């Protein structure tokens, strides 16, 4: 399936996952491929990419297959980074969220820190729903619900925000918060 997608798609990650390219693969299996980022921002900076084309984190849902895929991506990323940078004591794993993603194909950034140069950390700041989301946090958002619990189109929650102002917050199916005016 990935080879057909690579032939029909201009997506660079589909091309890397679907057919031999000049990119050196650090890992490959039926679900994902991993390789070094072309513009590394840390001592080690790898990308773990699903073989099947999924545009962004916003396309993931509370489904077992999505949760399993992201868990697998994180497991592969952790193994590679810890294998190749055992001297590093800080690691970071996460995804860019639209509109800040550079390639519209889901990819996990895997870092062995520190950032090089140091200013590159700015690109990986968490800025609400448009910034960088940590892999573990994303897993929490897409974790399938227990049997018997279904998420309607929106579950509503009342929360106390800054300044003591109550806001009605709704979580969409993927678990992203949207603030509703009162």
């Amino acid at each position: 399936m990935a080879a057909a997608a690579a032939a029909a798609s201009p997506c660079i990650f589909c091309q890397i996952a679907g057919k031999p390219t000049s990119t050196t693969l650090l890992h490959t299996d039926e679900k994902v491929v991993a390789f070094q980022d072309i513009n590394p921002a840390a001592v080690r900076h790898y990308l773990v990419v699903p073989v099947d084309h999924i545009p962004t984190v916003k396309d993931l849902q509370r489904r077992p297959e999505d949760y399993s895929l992201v868990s697998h991506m994180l497991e592969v990323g952790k193994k590679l980074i810890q294998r190749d940078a055992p001297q590093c004591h800080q690691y970071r794993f996460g995804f860019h969220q639209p509109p800040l993603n550079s390639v519209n194909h889901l990819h996990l950034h895997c870092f062995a820190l520190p950032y090089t140069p140091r200013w590159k950390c700015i690109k990986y700041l968490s800025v609400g729903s448009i910034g960088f989301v940590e892999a573990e946090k994303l897993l929490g958002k897409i974790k399938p619900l227990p049997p018997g619990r279904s998420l309607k189109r929106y579950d509503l929650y009342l929360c106390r925000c800054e300044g003591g102002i109550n806001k009605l917050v709704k979580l969409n199916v993927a678990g992203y918060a949207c603030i509703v005016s009162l």
Side-chain angles (χ1 to χ4, degrees):
M1 184 162 145
S9 172
C11 172
I12 187 66
F13 290 167
C14 284
Q15 292 172 12
I16 292 169
K19 62 182 179 181
T21 65
S22 61
T23 303
T24 301
L25 298 180
L26 304 171
H27 174 90
T28 184
D29 63 34
E30 68 282 348
K31 292 182 179 181
V32 300
V33 297
F35 49 91
Q36 185 168 331
D37 192 295
I38 195 168
N39 294 310
V43 173
R44 291 283 187 274
H45 183 177
Y46 299 153
L47 301 177
V48 180
V49 177
V51 171
D52 292 332
H53 185 83
I54 300 169
T56 73
V57 295
K58 302 288 187 180
D59 295 289
L60 299 172
Q61 298 179 15
R62 288 184 179 270
R63 297 184 302 210
E65 57 269 23
D66 288 350
Y67 185 82
S68 174
L69 174 65
V70 174
S71 295
H72 181 65
M73 292 171 73
L74 182 57
E75 179 182 315
V76 167
K78 284 181 175 180
K79 284 181 183 177
L80 290 172
I81 286 290
Q82 291 170 350
R83 178 195 74 192
D84 295 348
Q87 73 284 5
C88 292
H89 300 289
Q90 289 185 311
Y91 305 98
R92 192 161 181 222
F93 305 90
F95 301 86
H96 282 295
Q97 299 177 93
L100 301 180
N101 52 318
S102 58
V103 176
N104 277 328
H105 187 125
L106 185 68
H107 54 284
L108 172 67
H109 288 268
C110 308
F111 300 103
L113 301 175
Y115 291 103
T116 55
R118 300 281 303 156
W119 62 266
K120 287 248 184 164
C121 67
I122 293 168
K123 187 176 177 184
Y124 302 96
L125 292 175
S126 295
V127 186
S129 63
I130 63 164
F132 191 77
V133 62
E134 301 293 332
E136 293 289 346
K137 185 174 181 180
L138 178 63
L139 282 169
K141 289 180 178 182
I142 65 170
K143 185 175 182 177
L145 295 169
R149 168 77 166 98
S150 64
L151 191 65
K152 303 196 175 32
R153 177 69 182 135
Y154 292 100
D155 276 358
L156 300 176
Y157 298 90
L158 189 62
C159 69
R160 186 163 298 280
C161 298
E162 290 182 32
I165 300 169
N166 288 328
K167 299 255 183 178
L168 191 59
V169 174
K170 59 184 177 179
L171 298 181
N172 65 16
V173 182
Y176 293 97
C178 307
I179 296 177
V180 179
S181 300
L182 290 178

PDB file of all heavy atoms in Angstrom, residues 2-3 5-7 9-28 33-36 38 49:
ATOM      1  N   ALA A   2       1.957   1.247   0.762  1.00  0.00           N
ATOM      2  CA  ALA A   2       2.833   2.421   0.832  1.00  0.00           C
ATOM      3  C   ALA A   2       3.507   2.680  -0.516  1.00  0.00           C
ATOM      4  O   ALA A   2       3.693   3.827  -0.897  1.00  0.00           O
ATOM      5  CB  ALA A   2       3.883   2.240   1.917  1.00  0.00           C
ATOM      6  N   ALA A   3       3.855   1.616  -1.248  1.00  0.00           N
ATOM      7  CA  ALA A   3       4.500   1.795  -2.547  1.00  0.00           C
ATOM      8  C   ALA A   3       3.544   2.473  -3.522  1.00  0.00           C
ATOM      9  O   ALA A   3       3.942   3.359  -4.279  1.00  0.00           O
ATOM     10  CB  ALA A   3       4.965   0.452  -3.098  1.00  0.00           C
ATOM     11  N   ALA A   5       1.038   4.464  -2.674  1.00  0.00           N
ATOM     12  CA  ALA A   5       0.884   5.846  -2.201  1.00  0.00           C
ATOM     13  C   ALA A   5       2.092   6.683  -2.609  1.00  0.00           C
ATOM     14  O   ALA A   5       1.955   7.839  -2.987  1.00  0.00           O
ATOM     15  CB  ALA A   5       0.692   5.876  -0.686  1.00  0.00           C
ATOM     16  N   ALA A   6       3.277   6.085  -2.541  1.00  0.00           N
ATOM     17  CA  ALA A   6       4.496   6.820  -2.897  1.00  0.00           C
ATOM     18  C   ALA A   6       4.509   7.177  -4.377  1.00  0.00           C
ATOM     19  O   ALA A   6       4.932   8.258  -4.756  1.00  0.00           O
ATOM     20  CB  ALA A   6       5.734   5.992  -2.540  1.00  0.00           C
ATOM     21  N   ALA A   7       4.016   6.267  -5.207  1.00  0.00           N
ATOM     22  CA  ALA A   7       4.007   6.523  -6.640  1.00  0.00           C
ATOM     23  C   ALA A   7       3.010   7.621  -7.008  1.00  0.00           C
ATOM     24  O   ALA A   7       3.229   8.387  -7.935  1.00  0.00           O
ATOM     25  CB  ALA A   7       3.666   5.239  -7.397  1.00  0.00           C
ATOM     26  N   SER A   9       1.816  10.033  -4.833  1.00  0.00           N
ATOM     27  CA  SER A   9       1.837  11.177  -3.934  1.00  0.00           C
ATOM     28  C   SER A   9       3.152  11.941  -4.000  1.00  0.00           C
ATOM     29  O   SER A   9       4.217  11.347  -4.073  1.00  0.00           O
ATOM     30  CB  SER A   9       1.633  10.673  -2.498  1.00  0.00           C
ATOM     31  OG  SER A   9       1.831  11.726  -1.589  1.00  0.00           O
ATOM     32  N   PRO A  10       3.061  13.271  -3.931  1.00  0.00           N
ATOM     33  CA  PRO A  10       4.293  14.058  -3.845  1.00  0.00           C
ATOM     34  C   PRO A  10       4.831  14.121  -2.413  1.00  0.00           C
ATOM     35  O   PRO A  10       5.833  14.766  -2.164  1.00  0.00           O
ATOM     36  CB  PRO A  10       3.846  15.437  -4.340  1.00  0.00           C
ATOM     37  CG  PRO A  10       2.404  15.523  -3.974  1.00  0.00           C
ATOM     38  CD  PRO A  10       1.875  14.115  -4.087  1.00  0.00           C
ATOM     39  N   CYS A  11       4.173  13.449  -1.469  1.00  0.00           N
ATOM     40  CA  CYS A  11       4.592  13.471  -0.071  1.00  0.00           C
ATOM     41  C   CYS A  11       5.968  12.809   0.067  1.00  0.00           C
ATOM     42  O   CYS A  11       6.142  11.634  -0.249  1.00  0.00           O
ATOM     43  CB  CYS A  11       3.567  12.754   0.799  1.00  0.00           C
ATOM     44  SG  CYS A  11       4.099  12.538   2.514  1.00  0.00           S
ATOM     45  N   ILE A  12       6.936  13.579   0.560  1.00  0.00           N
ATOM     46  CA  ILE A  12       8.303  13.073   0.684  1.00  0.00           C
ATOM     47  C   ILE A  12       8.384  11.890   1.640  1.00  0.00           C
ATOM     48  O   ILE A  12       9.143  10.947   1.406  1.00  0.00           O
ATOM     49  CB  ILE A  12       9.284  14.211   1.082  1.00  0.00           C
ATOM     50  CG1 ILE A  12      10.733  13.723   1.033  1.00  0.00           C
ATOM     51  CG2 ILE A  12       8.942  14.780   2.450  1.00  0.00           C
ATOM     52  CD1 ILE A  12      11.245  13.369  -0.329  1.00  0.00           C
ATOM     53  N   PHE A  13       7.584  11.908   2.713  1.00  0.00           N
ATOM     54  CA  PHE A  13       7.640  10.801   3.668  1.00  0.00           C
ATOM     55  C   PHE A  13       7.012   9.535   3.095  1.00  0.00           C
ATOM     56  O   PHE A  13       7.469   8.432   3.385  1.00  0.00           O
ATOM     57  CB  PHE A  13       7.001  11.187   4.996  1.00  0.00           C
ATOM     58  CG  PHE A  13       7.790  12.205   5.784  1.00  0.00           C
ATOM     59  CD1 PHE A  13       7.227  12.844   6.868  1.00  0.00           C
ATOM     60  CD2 PHE A  13       9.099  12.538   5.456  1.00  0.00           C
ATOM     61  CE1 PHE A  13       7.946  13.781   7.612  1.00  0.00           C
ATOM     62  CE2 PHE A  13       9.822  13.472   6.181  1.00  0.00           C
ATOM     63  CZ  PHE A  13       9.235  14.091   7.265  1.00  0.00           C
ATOM     64  N   CYS A  14       5.990   9.670   2.256  1.00  0.00           N
ATOM     65  CA  CYS A  14       5.435   8.496   1.574  1.00  0.00           C
ATOM     66  C   CYS A  14       6.480   7.894   0.635  1.00  0.00           C
ATOM     67  O   CYS A  14       6.606   6.678   0.528  1.00  0.00           O
ATOM     68  CB  CYS A  14       4.183   8.871   0.780  1.00  0.00           C
ATOM     69  SG  CYS A  14       2.715   9.125   1.782  1.00  0.00           S
ATOM     70  N   GLN A  15       7.230   8.756  -0.025  1.00  0.00           N
ATOM     71  CA  GLN A  15       8.278   8.276  -0.931  1.00  0.00           C
ATOM     72  C   GLN A  15       9.358   7.530  -0.159  1.00  0.00           C
ATOM     73  O   GLN A  15       9.813   6.466  -0.585  1.00  0.00           O
ATOM     74  CB  GLN A  15       8.870   9.445  -1.705  1.00  0.00           C
ATOM     75  CG  GLN A  15       7.902  10.070  -2.686  1.00  0.00           C
ATOM     76  CD  GLN A  15       8.432  11.348  -3.319  1.00  0.00           C
ATOM     77  OE1 GLN A  15       9.601  11.670  -3.212  1.00  0.00           O
ATOM     78  NE2 GLN A  15       7.541  12.082  -3.970  1.00  0.00           N
ATOM     79  N   ILE A  16       9.774   8.074   0.978  1.00  0.00           N
ATOM     80  CA  ILE A  16      10.809   7.416   1.793  1.00  0.00           C
ATOM     81  C   ILE A  16      10.307   6.076   2.318  1.00  0.00           C
ATOM     82  O   ILE A  16      11.033   5.084   2.304  1.00  0.00           O
ATOM     83  CB  ILE A  16      11.250   8.340   2.948  1.00  0.00           C
ATOM     84  CG1 ILE A  16      12.002   9.558   2.388  1.00  0.00           C
ATOM     85  CG2 ILE A  16      12.094   7.587   3.972  1.00  0.00           C
ATOM     86  CD1 ILE A  16      12.251  10.659   3.402  1.00  0.00           C
ATOM     87  N   ALA A  17       9.040   6.042   2.769  1.00  0.00           N
ATOM     88  CA  ALA A  17       8.485   4.814   3.347  1.00  0.00           C
ATOM     89  C   ALA A  17       8.159   3.765   2.297  1.00  0.00           C
ATOM     90  O   ALA A  17       8.181   2.570   2.595  1.00  0.00           O
ATOM     91  CB  ALA A  17       7.216   5.137   4.146  1.00  0.00           C
ATOM     92  N   GLY A  18       7.892   4.206   1.054  1.00  0.00           N
ATOM     93  CA  GLY A  18       7.379   3.279   0.057  1.00  0.00           C
ATOM     94  C   GLY A  18       8.361   2.672  -0.897  1.00  0.00           C
ATOM     95  O   GLY A  18       8.090   1.649  -1.504  1.00  0.00           O
ATOM     96  N   LYS A  19       9.512   3.291  -1.068  1.00  0.00           N
ATOM     97  CA  LYS A  19      10.462   2.740  -2.038  1.00  0.00           C
ATOM     98  C   LYS A  19      11.874   3.170  -1.654  1.00  0.00           C
ATOM     99  O   LYS A  19      12.052   4.141  -0.905  1.00  0.00           O
ATOM    100  CB  LYS A  19      10.122   3.214  -3.447  1.00  0.00           C
ATOM    101  CG  LYS A  19      10.203   4.712  -3.643  1.00  0.00           C
ATOM    102  CD  LYS A  19       9.810   5.097  -5.055  1.00  0.00           C
ATOM    103  CE  LYS A  19       9.890   6.609  -5.204  1.00  0.00           C
ATOM    104  NZ  LYS A  19       9.517   7.070  -6.504  1.00  0.00           N
ATOM    105  N   PRO A  20      12.870   2.493  -2.165  1.00  0.00           N
ATOM    106  CA  PRO A  20      14.252   2.872  -1.841  1.00  0.00           C
ATOM    107  C   PRO A  20      14.561   4.304  -2.288  1.00  0.00           C
ATOM    108  O   PRO A  20      14.203   4.708  -3.386  1.00  0.00           O
ATOM    109  CB  PRO A  20      15.098   1.869  -2.616  1.00  0.00           C
ATOM    110  CG  PRO A  20      14.191   0.722  -2.911  1.00  0.00           C
ATOM    111  CD  PRO A  20      12.803   1.300  -3.001  1.00  0.00           C
ATOM    112  N   THR A  21      15.175   5.062  -1.391  1.00  0.00           N
ATOM    113  CA  THR A  21      15.621   6.426  -1.688  1.00  0.00           C
ATOM    114  C   THR A  21      17.043   6.564  -1.152  1.00  0.00           C
ATOM    115  O   THR A  21      17.610   5.615  -0.613  1.00  0.00           O
ATOM    116  CB  THR A  21      14.722   7.482  -1.009  1.00  0.00           C
ATOM    117  OG1 THR A  21      14.866   7.358   0.407  1.00  0.00           O
ATOM    118  CG2 THR A  21      13.266   7.325  -1.397  1.00  0.00           C
ATOM    119  N   SER A  22      17.577   7.731  -1.256  1.00  0.00           N
ATOM    120  CA  SER A  22      18.922   7.967  -0.724  1.00  0.00           C
ATOM    121  C   SER A  22      18.911   8.126   0.792  1.00  0.00           C
ATOM    122  O   SER A  22      19.964   8.201   1.409  1.00  0.00           O
ATOM    123  CB  SER A  22      19.531   9.215  -1.375  1.00  0.00           C
ATOM    124  OG  SER A  22      18.734  10.341  -1.083  1.00  0.00           O
ATOM    125  N   THR A  23      17.721   8.160   1.400  1.00  0.00           N
ATOM    126  CA  THR A  23      17.608   8.296   2.852  1.00  0.00           C
ATOM    127  C   THR A  23      18.009   6.992   3.531  1.00  0.00           C
ATOM    128  O   THR A  23      17.497   5.923   3.191  1.00  0.00           O
ATOM    129  CB  THR A  23      16.155   8.656   3.244  1.00  0.00           C
ATOM    130  OG1 THR A  23      15.784   9.850   2.561  1.00  0.00           O
ATOM    131  CG2 THR A  23      16.021   8.852   4.741  1.00  0.00           C
ATOM    132  N   THR A  24      18.913   7.093   4.488  1.00  0.00           N
ATOM    133  CA  THR A  24      19.320   5.920   5.263  1.00  0.00           C
ATOM    134  C   THR A  24      18.269   5.639   6.325  1.00  0.00           C
ATOM    135  O   THR A  24      17.992   6.502   7.167  1.00  0.00           O
ATOM    136  CB  THR A  24      20.679   6.157   5.942  1.00  0.00           C
ATOM    137  OG1 THR A  24      21.642   6.438   4.930  1.00  0.00           O
ATOM    138  CG2 THR A  24      21.110   4.950   6.757  1.00  0.00           C
ATOM    139  N   LEU A  25      17.678   4.454   6.279  1.00  0.00           N
ATOM    140  CA  LEU A  25      16.665   4.086   7.264  1.00  0.00           C
ATOM    141  C   LEU A  25      17.338   3.472   8.482  1.00  0.00           C
ATOM    142  O   LEU A  25      18.158   2.565   8.362  1.00  0.00           O
ATOM    143  CB  LEU A  25      15.665   3.113   6.651  1.00  0.00           C
ATOM    144  CG  LEU A  25      14.851   3.640   5.469  1.00  0.00           C
ATOM    145  CD1 LEU A  25      13.889   2.568   4.953  1.00  0.00           C
ATOM    146  CD2 LEU A  25      14.097   4.900   5.841  1.00  0.00           C
ATOM    147  N   LEU A  26      16.955   3.984   9.652  1.00  0.00           N
ATOM    148  CA  LEU A  26      17.479   3.469  10.917  1.00  0.00           C
ATOM    149  C   LEU A  26      16.631   2.309  11.423  1.00  0.00           C
ATOM    150  O   LEU A  26      17.096   1.495  12.215  1.00  0.00           O
ATOM    151  CB  LEU A  26      17.485   4.583  11.969  1.00  0.00           C
ATOM    152  CG  LEU A  26      18.252   5.846  11.594  1.00  0.00           C
ATOM    153  CD1 LEU A  26      18.001   6.936  12.620  1.00  0.00           C
ATOM    154  CD2 LEU A  26      19.734   5.532  11.479  1.00  0.00           C
ATOM    155  N   HIS A  27      15.382   2.285  10.981  1.00  0.00           N
ATOM    156  CA  HIS A  27      14.443   1.237  11.387  1.00  0.00           C
ATOM    157  C   HIS A  27      13.370   1.140  10.315  1.00  0.00           C
ATOM    158  O   HIS A  27      12.947   2.147   9.752  1.00  0.00           O
ATOM    159  CB  HIS A  27      13.787   1.588  12.735  1.00  0.00           C
ATOM    160  CG  HIS A  27      12.705   0.631  13.140  1.00  0.00           C
ATOM    161  ND1 HIS A  27      12.957  -0.481  13.891  1.00  0.00           N
ATOM    162  CD2 HIS A  27      11.376   0.626  12.872  1.00  0.00           C
ATOM    163  CE1 HIS A  27      11.822  -1.137  14.088  1.00  0.00           C
ATOM    164  NE2 HIS A  27      10.847  -0.486  13.484  1.00  0.00           N
ATOM    165  N   THR A  28      12.917  -0.066  10.063  1.00  0.00           N
ATOM    166  CA  THR A  28      11.785  -0.272   9.167  1.00  0.00           C
ATOM    167  C   THR A  28      11.022  -1.515   9.617  1.00  0.00           C
ATOM    168  O   THR A  28      11.620  -2.518  10.008  1.00  0.00           O
ATOM    169  CB  THR A  28      12.239  -0.384   7.692  1.00  0.00           C
ATOM    170  OG1 THR A  28      11.086  -0.491   6.868  1.00  0.00           O
ATOM    171  CG2 THR A  28      13.167  -1.543   7.450  1.00  0.00           C
ATOM    172  N   VAL A  33       8.747   3.660   9.513  1.00  0.00           N
ATOM    173  CA  VAL A  33      10.159   3.769   9.163  1.00  0.00           C
ATOM    174  C   VAL A  33      10.735   4.895  10.013  1.00  0.00           C
ATOM    175  O   VAL A  33      10.010   5.784  10.457  1.00  0.00           O
ATOM    176  CB  VAL A  33      10.396   4.053   7.660  1.00  0.00           C
ATOM    177  CG1 VAL A  33       9.889   2.904   6.804  1.00  0.00           C
ATOM    178  CG2 VAL A  33       9.782   5.360   7.232  1.00  0.00           C
ATOM    179  N   ALA A  34      12.048   4.847  10.242  1.00  0.00           N
ATOM    180  CA  ALA A  34      12.714   5.888  11.023  1.00  0.00           C
ATOM    181  C   ALA A  34      14.002   6.285  10.318  1.00  0.00           C
ATOM    182  O   ALA A  34      14.685   5.443   9.738  1.00  0.00           O
ATOM    183  CB  ALA A  34      13.005   5.396  12.435  1.00  0.00           C
ATOM    184  N   PHE A  35      14.307   7.575  10.399  1.00  0.00           N
ATOM    185  CA  PHE A  35      15.507   8.108   9.762  1.00  0.00           C
ATOM    186  C   PHE A  35      15.907   9.400  10.456  1.00  0.00           C
ATOM    187  O   PHE A  35      15.130   9.969  11.231  1.00  0.00           O
ATOM    188  CB  PHE A  35      15.276   8.336   8.259  1.00  0.00           C
ATOM    189  CG  PHE A  35      14.010   9.081   7.934  1.00  0.00           C
ATOM    190  CD1 PHE A  35      14.004  10.467   7.825  1.00  0.00           C
ATOM    191  CD2 PHE A  35      12.817   8.390   7.748  1.00  0.00           C
ATOM    192  CE1 PHE A  35      12.837  11.155   7.534  1.00  0.00           C
ATOM    193  CE2 PHE A  35      11.640   9.072   7.450  1.00  0.00           C
ATOM    194  CZ  PHE A  35      11.647  10.459   7.343  1.00  0.00           C
ATOM    195  N   GLN A  36      17.112   9.860  10.170  1.00  0.00           N
ATOM    196  CA  GLN A  36      17.600  11.102  10.772  1.00  0.00           C
ATOM    197  C   GLN A  36      16.921  12.298  10.110  1.00  0.00           C
ATOM    198  O   GLN A  36      16.719  12.314   8.896  1.00  0.00           O
ATOM    199  CB  GLN A  36      19.108  11.222  10.622  1.00  0.00           C
ATOM    200  CG  GLN A  36      19.665  12.434  11.335  1.00  0.00           C
ATOM    201  CD  GLN A  36      21.176  12.404  11.439  1.00  0.00           C
ATOM    202  OE1 GLN A  36      21.781  11.347  11.485  1.00  0.00           O
ATOM    203  NE2 GLN A  36      21.774  13.580  11.491  1.00  0.00           N
ATOM    204  N   ILE A  38      16.593  15.746   8.367  1.00  0.00           N
ATOM    205  CA  ILE A  38      17.500  16.384   7.409  1.00  0.00           C
ATOM    206  C   ILE A  38      18.132  17.664   7.980  1.00  0.00           C
ATOM    207  O   ILE A  38      19.215  18.058   7.580  1.00  0.00           O
ATOM    208  CB  ILE A  38      16.776  16.666   6.071  1.00  0.00           C
ATOM    209  CG1 ILE A  38      17.777  16.983   4.978  1.00  0.00           C
ATOM    210  CG2 ILE A  38      15.730  17.744   6.215  1.00  0.00           C
ATOM    211  CD1 ILE A  38      17.189  16.983   3.578  1.00  0.00           C
ATOM    212  N   VAL A  49       8.079   7.694  11.173  1.00  0.00           N
ATOM    213  CA  VAL A  49       6.999   8.030  10.248  1.00  0.00           C
ATOM    214  C   VAL A  49       6.169   6.778   9.956  1.00  0.00           C
ATOM    215  O   VAL A  49       6.741   5.729   9.636  1.00  0.00           O
ATOM    216  CB  VAL A  49       7.618   8.569   8.929  1.00  0.00           C
ATOM    217  CG1 VAL A  49       6.563   8.857   7.902  1.00  0.00           C
ATOM    218  CG2 VAL A  49       8.476   9.788   9.205  1.00  0.00           C
TER     219      VAL A  49
END
